[in-house]
Amino acid sequence: MFRSLLPLLVSLFLFTQGWAFSPYENYLATGRDTQVGLLAQIEEGQGDALAKAVASLEEGKPARQLKKAGISGLATFSRNIEGKDYAVIRFVYAGGKDYLGAAKAFEEATAQVEWRKIVAPHPRAVTYGRTWLQMEWINYIRGYDVDREPSNSLMIGCRVRPEMEMQYRTLHQTVWPGVVDQAVRGKIRDLCVFLVELDDDLVEFLYLDYMGDDQAADDAANAADPINQRWWKLTDACQMPFSDVEEGIWTLMNPVPAQ
C-alpha cells in the first residue's frame, strides 16, 4: 500500500514546497537570500557623482534604509563598453522578499540620490518604470560557506556569442559538481552570473567574493584543475571579449568608489 501511495506523497510534497521544473524557480521558492545585479548607463561626466553617491550609502541613514529594505553586501562596478560607460550594482536581497521587486526596493531605499541625474536607464528598465535594470540571474554557486567579509570582491564581463546562447544557458543550468567543488577549494563564495542585452550584444557579468589570503595561489590552483579546464573549454567557446583590444575573453570591471 505504501508503494502505491509513494508517487502521490512525493507529488504532494513538491506541491506544498512550491517546487517547479526550473532550478531557478526552485531556488526562489526556498525563500533563501537572492543575488541581484542592477545596470544603468552612466551619464557623460557623471563618474565622480556616481562614486560620491555610492560612498554616501555606506553609513548613517542611507545604510539603515538599505538594511531595512533587506539589502546587504552592496558592491558597485563600472566600465566603458563599446564607447559607453556602464555601472553595475550587485547586492544580496533578503530571502522571502519579492525578488523581482529588488530594483524598486533599492531605488526607494536610496531615494535621497537623484539617480536620473547620474545614470540613464536601460531601455527595458523604462518599461518597468525603473531607473536601474535588474539583470537576469542565470547562475549561482554558494561555494566557500563562511559568514564574514570577503578578502576581495570582483566583477568581470564579456559578451556571449548569439549563436551559443542556448548552450551557454544550458551549461549554467547543469554546473558540474567538480566545478562547484573547486570553487570551494579555491575559497570562492557567492559566484553569480548575470546576463543583459546592451544594444545588439548579449553581455555577461560575473561576480564573486574571494575569501582566502593568497588569491594568486588559489587562482593558479583553479586554472590547473582538470575539471575546470574541461568546463572552461566549453564555456570559452560561447564567449568573446567586449572588443578586439582586450587581452583574453574577460574584462575586469572597476570598483566604485575606486579602491
Side-chain angles (χ1 to χ4, degrees), residues 3 5 51 111 136 164 180 198 215 231 253 256:
R3 287 185 178 180
L5 289 175
E136 190 178 6
M164 301 297 285
V180 177
L198 296 183
Q215 190 165 358
W231 168 262
M253 303 287 287
V256 178

Side-chain angles (χ1 to χ4, degrees), residues 16-245:
T16 57
Q17 297 299 307
W19 283 37
F21 286 145
S22 163
Y24 163 75
E25 192 175 3
N26 285 341
Y27 184 90
L28 297 183
T30 67
R32 296 177 180 176
D33 289 350
T34 50
Q35 305 279 324
V36 176
L38 306 180
L39 176 136
Q41 184 180 337
I42 305 172
E43 293 280 17
E44 186 175 355
Q46 293 299 308
D48 289 342
L50 173 68
K52 291 179 181 179
V54 171
S56 74
L57 305 178
E58 295 180 353
E59 55 187 26
K61 184 178 179 180
R64 293 194 296 271
Q65 290 173 321
L66 288 169
K67 183 178 180 180
K68 185 177 180 180
I71 295 171
S72 61
L74 197 72
T76 306
F77 302 87
S78 68
R79 190 75 193 193
N80 184 281
I81 304 172
E82 294 295 303
K84 298 178 182 179
D85 292 324
Y86 289 95
V88 176
I89 295 177
R90 171 269 179 190
F91 58 81
V92 179
Y93 198 41
K97 290 185 175 291
D98 174 21
Y99 176 62
L100 286 178
K104 180 180 180 182
F106 172 78
E107 291 180 17
E108 289 180 346
T110 61
Q112 74 279 4
V113 178
E114 295 183 275
W115 290 118
R116 287 296 180 103
K117 292 184 178 180
I118 301 173
V119 297
H122 185 284
R124 192 151 51 84
V126 176
T127 67
Y128 305 143
R130 302 263 60 88
T131 299
W132 290 91
L133 175 66
Q134 186 169 337
M135 297 185 289
E136 190 178 6
W137 182 35
I138 71 160
N139 184 236
Y140 175 59
I141 297 175
R142 169 61 180 174
Y144 196 60
D145 191 10
V146 292
D147 186 15
R148 56 177 169 79
E149 289 298 308
S151 307
N152 184 30
S153 297
L154 62 88
M155 178 173 281
I156 53 179
C158 68
R159 291 186 290 168
V160 177
R161 296 182 183 277
E163 71 277 12
M164 301 297 285
E165 179 179 355
M166 184 65 166
Q167 181 171 337
Y168 195 70
R169 288 179 178 275
T170 301
L171 285 166
H172 285 81
Q173 288 287 297
T174 57
V175 179
W176 299 352
V179 172
V180 177
D181 293 345
Q182 187 56 39
V184 175
R185 295 188 191 99
K187 306 297 189 300
I188 292 172
R189 185 186 70 182
D190 286 351
L191 187 154
C192 297
V193 176
F194 302 101
L195 289 184
V196 64
E197 66 280 359
L198 296 183
D199 297 326
D200 295 329
D201 291 328
L202 181 62
V203 171
E204 166 191 4
F205 296 102
L206 184 152
Y207 172 91
L208 63 82
D209 288 332
Y210 174 67
M211 309 304 297
D213 53 17
D214 191 341
Q215 190 165 358
D218 284 324
D219 286 347
N222 292 336
D225 180 73
I227 300 178
N228 266 355
Q229 290 175 357
R230 297 199 302 274
W231 168 262
W232 290 339
K233 185 176 181 179
L234 294 173
T235 58
D236 285 358
C238 302
Q239 300 163 309
M240 54 186 175
F242 286 145
S243 69
D244 294 336
V245 300

